[in-house]
């Protein structure tokens, strides 16, 4: 019954998707571009018979890029098609891989759109990243004898419950996935409770731990921030924040300034389009703010108006708050600030990275904060206590180093599956 209802609803949803694109495009120019691709109309330059990698947004795209690079190196005669759902994911792949891959938006999970896309592209294999599971996309790809794999898979308790309520639909979809490379054992077990056989899931670790110094390199025009920190200015950073987290973070920064006037906050909203809104918030709280691209030494808050620089910016700070954790998003990636050994502050909502957060918390380098007072208290503590920062550095770096190696394991599996 659930399968039948999904088939009907997905077919009737085309006008809704079209209206959504029009509405989203009014606010964000990127959603006005390449709209036809989302309905399965593939650009003429897309080659047929590629290895297809699909990601959602920037986070999954960044995790997929080193896998794609390794596959291109080990299989130089193969072509790769990368698809994303969001403009941020699209730009992340375009910036790093350029003309080495074909790139377009994934079609909506509507049978006619998916069929149109598959007829044009005829992929050799589909590699999905993390939890990007869409029934029509998976089932209709597998129906064409194209193997479907899930890489760097994660599945929270909340998502498992959701899939379990649609068990009829979920079981068919999982039957059509050839193999799953799971981040951790808990995710592997959750997939098994949903009907995936034990033989078709392998625990590989989380590829997001496989960061390297090349990706961490700070753009030349941002070295001034690093020099500012080295000269004694105290800096903390709030990364990937959502509404209304900025209000909490700015309130915390006002308290920090009361006790430590020579302190700056680097504020990195998850969505760049919100920078003007955040500048207004700063002004209403009496905080001097500037944009990263128009840096002013006299500012209290530096609002980042550029994509793709959050990871290297972490090295310019002494403490990090990771956003998406004070509201229901589920938290963003704590591995990036940990790469630089920063004390990490997060709210209680961390289900997107529950296993990762637990590993850092066990090493006393990730701390729970619930409100502005707790954030300011922790920020001041770590800014003023170099020994505490050093302990966090040792713990965070140890966790990162202990969990590296997933990239090599996943690439070995992918090559074996293709062989």
């Amino acid at each position: 019954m659930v399968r039948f209802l999904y088939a009907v609803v997905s077919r009737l949803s085309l006008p809704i998707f079209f209206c959504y694109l029009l509405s989203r495009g009014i606010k964000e120019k990127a959603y006005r571009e390449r709209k036809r691709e989302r309905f399965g109309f593939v650009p003429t330059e897309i080659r047929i018979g590629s290895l297809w990698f699909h990601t959602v947004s920037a986070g999954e795209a960044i995790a997929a890029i080193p896998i794609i690079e390794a596959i291109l190196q080990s299989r130089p005669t193969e072509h790769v098609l990368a698809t994303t759902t969001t403009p941020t994911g699209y730009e992340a792949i375009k910036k790093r891989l350029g003309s080495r891959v074909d790139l377009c938006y994934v079609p909506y999970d509507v049978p006619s759109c998916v069929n149109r896309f598959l007829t044009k592209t005829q992929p050799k294999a589909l590699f999905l990243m993390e939890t990007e599971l869409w029934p029509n996309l998976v089932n209709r790809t597998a129906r064409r004898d194209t193997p479907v794999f899930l890489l760097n898979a994660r599945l929270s308790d909340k998502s498992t419950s959701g899939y379990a309520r649609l068990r009829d639909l979920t079981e068919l979809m999982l039957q059509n996935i050839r193999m799953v490379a799971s981040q951790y054992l808990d995710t592997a077990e959750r997939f098994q409770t949903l009907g995936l056989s034990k033989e078709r899931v392998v625990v590989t670790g989380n590829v997001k731990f496989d960061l390297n110094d090349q990706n961490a390199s700070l753009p030349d025009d941002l070295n001034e921030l690093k020099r500012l920190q080295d000269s004694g200015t105290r800096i903390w950073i709030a990364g990937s924040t959502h509404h209304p987290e900025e209000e909490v973070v700015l309130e915390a920064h006002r308290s920090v300034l009361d006790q430590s006037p020579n302190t700056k906050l680097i504020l990195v909203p998850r969505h760049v389009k919100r920078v003007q809104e955040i500048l207004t918030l700063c002004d209403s709280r009496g905080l001097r703010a500037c944009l990263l691209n128009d840096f002013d030494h006299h500012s209290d808050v530096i609002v980042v108006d550029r994509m793709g620089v959050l990871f290297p910016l972490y090295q310019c700070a002494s403490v990090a708050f990771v956003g998406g954790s004070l509201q229901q998003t589920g938290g963003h990636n704590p591995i990036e600030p940990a790469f630089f050994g920063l004390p990490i502050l997060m709210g209680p909502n961390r289900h997107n990275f529950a296993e990762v957060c637990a590993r850092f918390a066990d090493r006393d380098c990730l701390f729970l904060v619930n409100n502005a007072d707790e954030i300011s208290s922790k920020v001041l503590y770590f800014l003023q206590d170099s020994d505490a920062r050093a302990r966090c550095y040792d713990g965070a770096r140890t966790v990162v180093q202990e969990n590296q190696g997933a990239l090599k394991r996943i690439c070995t599996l992918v090559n074996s599956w293709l062989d």
Side-chain angles (χ1 to χ4, degrees), residues 218-226 292 306 309 313 316:
L218 195 67
D220 290 341
D221 63 324
L222 300 183
N223 280 326
E224 188 174 1
L225 276 176
K226 186 63 178 169
L292 180 66
R306 192 190 311 181
V309 295
L313 275 175
C316 299

Side-chain angles (χ1 to χ4, degrees), residues 387-407:
D387 290 337
R389 292 201 306 273
R391 289 192 295 271
C392 286
Y393 179 90
D394 291 339
R397 289 292 300 167
T398 297
V399 173
V400 170
Q401 290 164 5
E402 287 177 349
N403 286 274
Q404 290 183 329
L407 174 60

Side-chain angles (χ1 to χ4, degrees), residues 222-336:
L222 300 183
N223 280 326
E224 188 174 1
L225 276 176
K226 186 63 178 169
R227 289 193 292 269
L228 192 66
Q229 181 193 36
D230 294 339
S231 68
T233 299
R234 292 172 168 175
I235 301 175
W236 68 288
I237 185 170
S240 295
T241 58
H242 294 253
H243 173 77
E245 289 178 320
E246 291 88 7
E247 297 178 19
V248 179
V249 167
L250 291 174
E251 190 62 34
H253 190 52
R254 286 184 59 186
S255 298
V256 168
L257 289 173
D258 288 341
Q259 299 185 50
S260 180
N262 188 32
T263 302
K264 296 188 185 299
L265 165 65
I266 301 175
L267 182 50
V268 191
R270 183 68 173 178
H271 302 292
V272 174
K273 64 178 181 177
R274 298 185 56 241
V275 295
Q276 290 302 324
E277 170 193 341
I278 294 167
L279 289 175
T280 301
L281 282 175
C282 293
D283 185 61
S284 68
R285 284 158 176 75
L287 294 167
R288 294 168 298 182
C290 69
L291 296 176
L292 180 66
N293 286 339
D294 190 21
F295 177 60
D296 178 359
H297 280 270
H298 301 292
S299 294
D300 304 310
V301 182
I302 303 160
V303 182
V304 176
D305 54 344
R306 192 190 311 181
M307 290 172 51
V309 295
L310 174 58
F311 175 39
L313 275 175
Y314 278 121
Q315 67 191 285
C316 299
S318 298
V319 189
F321 168 78
V322 177
S325 58
L326 286 177
Q327 32 84 281
Q328 299 304 313
T329 299
H332 291 294
N333 186 358
I335 301 171
E336 292 184 345

Side-chain angles (χ1 to χ4, degrees), residues 34-59:
R34 312 175 73 101
K35 291 192 296 292
R36 286 171 52 84
E37 295 176 10
R38 299 181 184 273
F39 297 94
F41 293 98
V42 180
T44 56
E45 64 268 20
I46 299 292
R47 291 164 287 196
I48 66 170
S50 297
L51 302 177
W52 175 18
F53 286 80
H54 174 57
T55 70
V56 188
S57 191

